[in-house]
Amino acid sequence: MSIKPPLMDLHIETADSGFYAGFSKNVAVISKIIIATLVIWAVVFPESAGRILNTINGFILANTAYWYIWIVALFVILCIVLALWPAAGRLRLGVEGDRPEFSNFSWFSMMFGAGIGVGMLTWAVAEPMYHFGNNPEVIQGMVEGSSAENIRNAYKWSFLHWGFGAWACYAIAGLALAYFCYRRGLPLTMRSSLTPLFGKALSGPLGHVIDIVAVVATILGVAQTLGFGVEQFVAGLTRIGVGGLTNEAGTANTIGIVVAILAIMAASTASALSGVGKGIKWLSNLNMGLSIFLLSFFLLFGSTFFGLQALVVGIWDYIIALPDLLFRVWRTDGVEGSVATKLEGWQGAWSVFYWAWWVAFAPFVGLFLARISKGRTIREFVLGAMIVPSIMCFVWFTWAGGTAIDLELNGGANGSIAGAPDGDKIFAMIQFMLSDALSWIMSVIIVVLLMTYLVTTADSAVLIVNTINAAGDEGPKARPHIYFWGIALGAVVAALLIAGGHKAITTAMVIGAFPFSVVMVLQCFALVKAIWNDGKREQAGVASTAPESVGAPAE
């Protein structure tokens, strides 16, 4: 039986004229209806929405722990295999002669900024502090919380959630898209990544469903990130003297949420209108520069040697424990308050939550990574997308979070950092370290940095959603659609925060992530099948890239 070329022509019907000219109405309209319904439901019926969402969320978390833990393990393993597999690693994400559009610095900057740059400013301090006080080893009575003996455990668990697992989710989604779009010439939209499994059937309703799932997951995943960012942005504004934005507990009130959302979404929509090569690239380079400045501050004036030790030892502990951490699932023994029940609750609140968050974020970051990675090899893409950002996260966690732990443990902070709300911890630490004048200046810098990260994330999400809705068209989009998704993204964050705080956003995100997690598992099989078959095509002298493609599809 002869080997035939792969599928290189996937037709997706788009409107020829009118308001939706150039867009797939089946995807765009239904996606907008789903998101609009969620916003209206959360605002008009907040109690009912919260109760129903929490019920669904509880069911998912109680019954899918194995699923989320093991699929992320699959993603990590597959990334390593693809990087080491000679036949796969050397393949270029493009045709012969394609080379990277962006320099390595701009590539890493945009990758990190659109990925989880926002989370660094909140969780690089807050998460190590939390795990320093409580983690599975503490629950099992192996170490005492908030003690020097627990520092290594704090970093092991922090690195688990922000390391290779997170970036493997992004790498798989991005690689699947880049491979089929830039080698096969298929549309830059999520359905194209499953063509080896479903072929031309993806032109119809099945493909529409996959793209709609990706759009909804993107909006909810980005909403989760922006929700944390809004709280921290308001905390920063309060620290630099803007009053009336927080409640008695120190968290953002309704006015603060609305002010932050309006500022962020106005700036991000303006940036989205300028495209990836202008506004987003410029902002990414700016926030990378400011990040380096802030990190340098912690390196020079923070707990330098404490952080260095935590980095080296933490990476060692993390890598040694990773095989166990990737597969371990704790289940309750049915006894309330037992160690097994507490471990299950801890894992659901942390590891399972994070894996759902990264999966929900994957269509956005994955498509964005694909867009900025054309011309790179699979090995370069996988190693660059999974290892370099992970190390950057580790450095942030050890020097920023390590300084906070050291100040609480040895520096006399006496709970002033640990007791602050999560979004305010970095500002509390800066205020403890510096004089009033210098802490105010540094707080302003952090607020500006946070703003650039939030804007980069939001405007990238708007462009990605429009690209999916436009059947993979990367060209300029009609302004009304950019405005709509900018407003919709802000409305989702504001509505869910006002209706139920972070818990409401988290619940909606976990629900939205589950369908896309199935798509990602299918992407893994599609990638392996395509690369394997392309190897056979190469041996048989059959074209596997779009410009040389002839014949009927085999997959």
Side-chain angles (χ1 to χ4, degrees), residues 112-180:
F112 188 74
I116 48 182
V118 174
M120 286 297 93
L121 291 179
T122 299
W123 295 108
V125 176
E127 184 156 349
M129 287 293 298
Y130 179 89
H131 296 320
F132 176 57
N134 186 49
N135 58 55
E137 283 78 10
V138 175
I139 293 173
Q140 296 174 82
M142 299 166 63
V143 296
E144 182 182 351
S146 301
S147 66
E149 291 75 22
N150 197 36
I151 295 173
R152 295 177 67 163
N153 292 320
Y155 280 102
K156 179 180 69 176
W157 293 106
S158 297
F159 288 1
L160 172 67
H161 299 146
W162 294 83
F164 301 150
W167 290 95
C169 293
Y170 304 155
I172 289 296
L175 181 59
L177 283 165
Y179 191 90
F180 295 105

Side-chain angles (χ1 to χ4, degrees), residues 63-73 329 355 513-514 517-519 521:
N63 294 279
T64 61
Y66 282 104
W67 171 257
Y68 277 117
I69 296 296
W70 288 352
I71 65 168
V72 171
V329 181
W355 295 162
F514 186 74
S517 70
V518 177
V519 174
V521 172

Side-chain angles (χ1 to χ4, degrees), residues 50-325:
R51 184 174 61 256
I52 294 174
L53 288 175
N54 284 334
T55 300
I56 299 174
N57 180 56
F59 177 82
I60 290 176
L61 290 180
N63 294 279
T64 61
Y66 282 104
W67 171 257
Y68 277 117
I69 296 296
W70 288 352
I71 65 168
V72 171
L74 168 66
F75 301 154
V76 173
I77 292 170
L78 182 57
C79 282
I80 295 172
V81 169
L82 292 176
L84 297 178
W85 183 8
R90 61 180 174 77
L91 292 177
R92 194 168 294 279
L93 300 176
V95 299
E96 189 67 29
D98 278 344
R99 291 297 181 269
E101 177 183 358
F102 301 102
S103 68
N104 286 337
F105 181 82
S106 291
W107 187 50
F108 291 135
S109 297
M110 287 190 284
M111 188 190 318
F112 188 74
I116 48 182
V118 174
M120 286 297 93
L121 291 179
T122 299
W123 295 108
V125 176
E127 184 156 349
M129 287 293 298
Y130 179 89
H131 296 320
F132 176 57
N134 186 49
N135 58 55
E137 283 78 10
V138 175
I139 293 173
Q140 296 174 82
M142 299 166 63
V143 296
E144 182 182 351
S146 301
S147 66
E149 291 75 22
N150 197 36
I151 295 173
R152 295 177 67 163
N153 292 320
Y155 280 102
K156 179 180 69 176
W157 293 106
S158 297
F159 288 1
L160 172 67
H161 299 146
W162 294 83
F164 301 150
W167 290 95
C169 293
Y170 304 155
I172 289 296
L175 181 59
L177 283 165
Y179 191 90
F180 295 105
C181 298
Y182 296 135
R183 287 184 62 84
R184 305 283 173 83
L186 297 175
L188 186 62
T189 186
M190 207 57 63
R191 71 179 79 186
S192 296
S193 64
L194 301 183
T195 49
L197 303 180
F198 302 108
K200 289 194 173 183
L202 292 167
S203 293
L206 176 61
H208 301 332
V209 170
I210 291 169
D211 283 347
I212 291 168
V213 164
V215 169
V216 173
T218 296
I219 293 298
L220 296 178
V222 173
Q224 176 72 55
T225 301
L226 294 181
F228 286 129
V230 164
E231 288 280 5
Q232 188 166 40
F233 187 65
V234 170
L237 291 177
T238 302
R239 287 281 181 176
I240 63 178
V242 181
L245 304 180
T246 58
N247 54 32
E248 294 180 358
T251 57
N253 58 25
T254 301
I255 295 176
I257 292 171
V258 172
V259 168
I261 289 293
L262 289 176
I264 293 164
M265 299 318 300
S268 63
T269 302
S271 178
L273 290 170
S274 68
V276 174
K278 295 180 182 179
I280 296 177
K281 177 182 177 181
W282 184 86
L283 279 172
S284 296
N285 288 338
L286 173 62
N287 60 38
M288 181 58 74
L290 289 175
S291 296
I292 292 173
F293 170 79
L294 183 58
L295 192 56
S296 299
F297 167 80
F298 288 121
L299 287 172
L300 293 173
F301 302 106
S303 302
T304 306
F305 295 106
F306 185 97
L308 178 61
Q309 183 180 27
L311 176 65
V312 175
V313 175
I315 291 177
W316 171 261
D317 289 343
Y318 167 61
I319 292 176
I320 293 299
L322 190 58
D324 176 63
L325 299 181

